[in-house]
Amino acid sequence: MRLRLRAHGAADVDTVWRRYAEPALWSTWAPQIRSVESEPELRAGMRGRVRPVVGPSVRFLVTDVDDAARTWCWRVQAGPVRMELGHTVDSDGRPGAATELTVEGPALVVLAYAPLARRALRNLVRP
């Protein structure tokens, strides 16, 4: 299943991109994340682990990063469950920033993740 979510907020585009580009900041806006083990800056080929608030850690591989376009993609895996996520940050033609998330994976997992993702995206674009 593929799901696309979008949020707009008052934070500026550069701030929102920095919140993505520095994995140590992920837990400040994504309430489902307790911590991240990775390199300090997002880059293609980077591997790491996300430690959620509840449940086992999730391995990830960043497959693509385009700083100029402010887009990045990654693959996450917990046991046999794999998902692919794509992120975009832009101005949406309005003041502030917009972010879009595309999630692809097993339908039940994607649907269960959607409420957490919506909340995280809203936090991400807050000033």
Side-chain angles (χ1 to χ4, degrees):
M1 171 180 202
R2 185 181 187 129
L3 178 68
R4 182 170 286 142
L5 304 171
R6 192 163 177 87
H8 184 271
D12 65 84
V13 172
D14 290 334
T15 296
V16 174
W17 180 247
R18 184 179 52 80
R19 290 173 181 167
Y20 271 142
E22 296 179 30
L25 297 177
W26 294 357
S27 63
T28 65
W29 53 267
Q32 70 273 23
I33 296 177
R34 183 170 22 119
S35 64
V36 178
E37 297 173 7
S38 72
E39 296 173 29
E41 288 289 322
L42 197 63
R43 68 168 183 82
M46 183 176 85
R47 294 178 183 275
R49 284 189 180 273
V50 171
R51 299 215 179 269
V53 173
V54 176
S57 65
V58 178
R59 292 181 296 144
F60 70 82
L61 168 65
V62 176
T63 57
D64 185 55
V65 176
D66 185 333
D67 289 305
R70 294 186 184 99
T71 63
W72 70 285
C73 300
W74 60 327
R75 244 183 262 139
V76 299
Q77 185 168 352
V81 178
R82 250 176 111 161
M83 294 194 328
E84 299 207 15
L85 300 94
H87 302 271
T88 302
V89 177
D90 60 41
S91 69
D92 201 16
R94 301 183 278 175
T99 186
E100 184 171 286
L101 166 65
T102 302
V103 184
E104 198 165 334
L108 289 176
V109 178
V110 170
L111 292 172
Y113 180 65
L116 296 170
R118 280 187 187 96
R119 184 172 174 202
L121 292 178
R122 285 192 303 265
N123 290 344
L124 178 65
V125 294
R126 285 191 180 140

